Amino acid sequence: SREAALIFNNLLLTTGAAVVLLGTLYPLFLDALYGAKVSVGPPFYNATFLPIMAPVLVACVIGSMLSWKRGDLAGVFGRLKAAIIVTLVVVFIITLLNGSSDFLVALALGVAAWIIIGTLVQVSERLNLLNIPLYKSVYRAKNLPRAFWGMVVAHSALGILVIGITISSAWRVEQIQLMKSGDKISAGGYTLTFSGTIPISGPNYTGIQGKFKVERNGEEVTVLKPEKRSYPAEKNQTTEAGILSTISGDLYTVLGEMSDNEEWSTRIYFNPMVNWIWIGAFLMAFGGLISLTDRRLRFGIWQRFSKKFVRKAV
């Protein structure tokens, strides 16, 4: 039933939140009590948080299609045939293109496809698409409750979030090399030409600024200017990365130290689709806001207030 799905969802989400809280606070408590230094990073979360969240991602589509009190689970899977087929195709193609070493990546992207296509299947059923004239489907869309559209936006955004997290983590590019003026390097579909360095000075710092001309398909996109700054008053140094942020990914350039051969140590990073994480999170919150504007909630609150006020007046 949908009630059981909601309980299952809340249980796993609460457990996942507790795992993140534990992983965040445990090193701080250990350092405060015993002075011990412990790092809690990706291995801990990959072994604990991901297995908890995976069932939530799969069940969010199924739970929203179940009936209240008593649902037909086999019937729901029958209605989700299109989502199942697309999921299997996505997993197969990505595994075929990237090999078995990326099977977990293919599985994660398959789950994202499952969420998005499964949500679209629900929209198609509610609008009765392809079974009735289009104008009637549009009329149905106008009369569907806002809570439903909020669910559609939030669940689709969850799929977008999974795509962003998976691709930015699995296919991240990192290159470290020595470069002199005129050297070129490719990363994430971009060609970067190192144009050397110039001295710079600010209100309270001095430093060195590098220049990277960024090109894509032979056309100049931008010039990135990473810096190494020195603050005499604080007696410390900082590194300022040059960043190009696009919908397809973020490109970072970092300037290191100069070698004896007058070559600069440089780092180039490309994080693909990292902005999809922010887009997904924003749309999830937006979906929640849409649901809160549902007229049934507004009228329900007003009716309860009116009845309470009338009883007091009488």
Side-chain angles (χ1 to χ4, degrees):
S1 68
R2 188 173 294 189
E3 292 91 339
L6 288 172
I7 293 173
F8 178 76
N9 172 79
N10 292 341
L11 175 63
L12 291 185
L13 286 178
T14 304
T15 306
V19 167
V20 174
L21 184 65
L22 176 64
T24 304
L25 297 182
Y26 177 73
L28 301 178
F29 286 145
L30 204 63
D31 184 21
L33 295 176
Y34 304 104
K37 302 293 183 181
V38 175
S39 176
V40 176
F44 170 77
Y45 293 107
N46 290 341
T48 56
F49 184 73
L50 293 184
I52 293 172
M53 293 305 298
V56 175
L57 299 177
V58 175
C60 72
V61 176
I62 301 171
S64 59
M65 297 183 71
L66 288 171
S67 302
W68 296 104
K69 296 184 179 180
R70 179 172 296 181
D72 181 11
L73 189 59
V76 169
F77 277 109
R79 293 155 58 192
L80 287 170
K81 285 181 181 178
I84 294 172
I85 292 172
V86 172
T87 299
L88 294 177
V89 169
V90 169
V91 173
F92 175 76
I93 292 176
I94 294 177
T95 303
L96 187 65
L97 294 177
N98 296 282
S100 58
S101 59
D102 276 348
F103 180 70
L104 290 179
V105 176
L107 203 59
L109 294 178
V111 170
W114 160 262
I115 296 171
I116 295 173
I117 302 301
T119 303
L120 294 179
V121 166
Q122 296 180 64
V123 175
S124 177
E125 287 185 350
R126 288 291 193 98
L127 302 184
N128 204 10
L129 287 175
L130 305 180
N131 294 323
I132 60 175
L134 182 59
Y135 74 91
K136 290 187 177 181
S137 295
V138 173
Y139 179 77
R140 284 192 171 203
K142 291 180 179 179
N143 289 280
L144 285 175
R146 292 183 186 177
F148 172 77
W149 291 116
M151 181 274 294
V152 169
V153 172
H155 280 194
S156 301
L158 180 60
I160 294 172
L161 182 73
V162 172
I163 292 173
I165 292 173
T166 302
I167 293 180
S168 64
S169 300
W171 295 336
R172 181 172 182 261
V173 176
E174 178 180 352
Q175 298 180 177
I176 305 173
Q177 58 282 309
L178 292 173
M179 300 182 73
K180 59 181 182 295
S181 182
D183 285 351
K184 294 186 177 182
I185 190 170
S186 297
Y190 295 95
T191 300
L192 293 91
T193 304
F194 183 52
S195 304
T197 61
I198 58 172
I200 59 171
S201 61
N204 59 341
Y205 66 86
T206 59
I208 298 293
Q209 182 186 83
K211 288 189 177 182
F212 289 85
K213 184 173 73 171
V214 181
E215 297 176 306
R216 192 181 186 97
N217 299 325
E219 297 184 1
E220 183 174 337
V221 177
T222 187
V223 176
L224 297 181
K225 300 177 181 179
E227 300 176 357
K228 284 184 64 67
R229 296 179 180 179
S230 177
Y231 295 85
E234 294 84 358
K235 296 181 180 180
N236 65 353
Q237 293 184 336
T238 63
T239 300
E240 307 293 328
I243 304 174
L244 172 65
S245 183
T246 67
I247 191 67
S248 62
D250 286 359
L251 180 68
Y252 299 84
T253 57
V254 180
L255 191 66
E257 302 294 337
M258 187 171 67
S259 69
D260 296 335
N261 298 326
E262 297 186 350
E263 293 179 319
W264 287 91
S265 171
T266 61
R267 293 173 179 262
I268 310 296
Y269 302 92
F270 181 70
N271 293 340
M273 292 190 173
V274 69
N275 286 324
W276 286 44
I277 300 174
W278 297 105
I279 293 172
F282 172 79
L283 289 177
M284 287 173 67
F286 182 63
L289 291 176
I290 293 175
S291 297
L292 290 175
T293 63
D294 192 302
R295 63 188 303 274
R296 295 173 301 175
L297 296 177
R298 298 201 310 271
F299 278 98
I301 293 172
W302 172 250
Q303 287 172 0
R304 289 196 296 271
F305 172 78
S306 299
K307 290 179 181 179
K308 186 177 180 181
F309 180 79
V310 169
R311 283 199 301 267
K312 286 186 176 181
V314 173

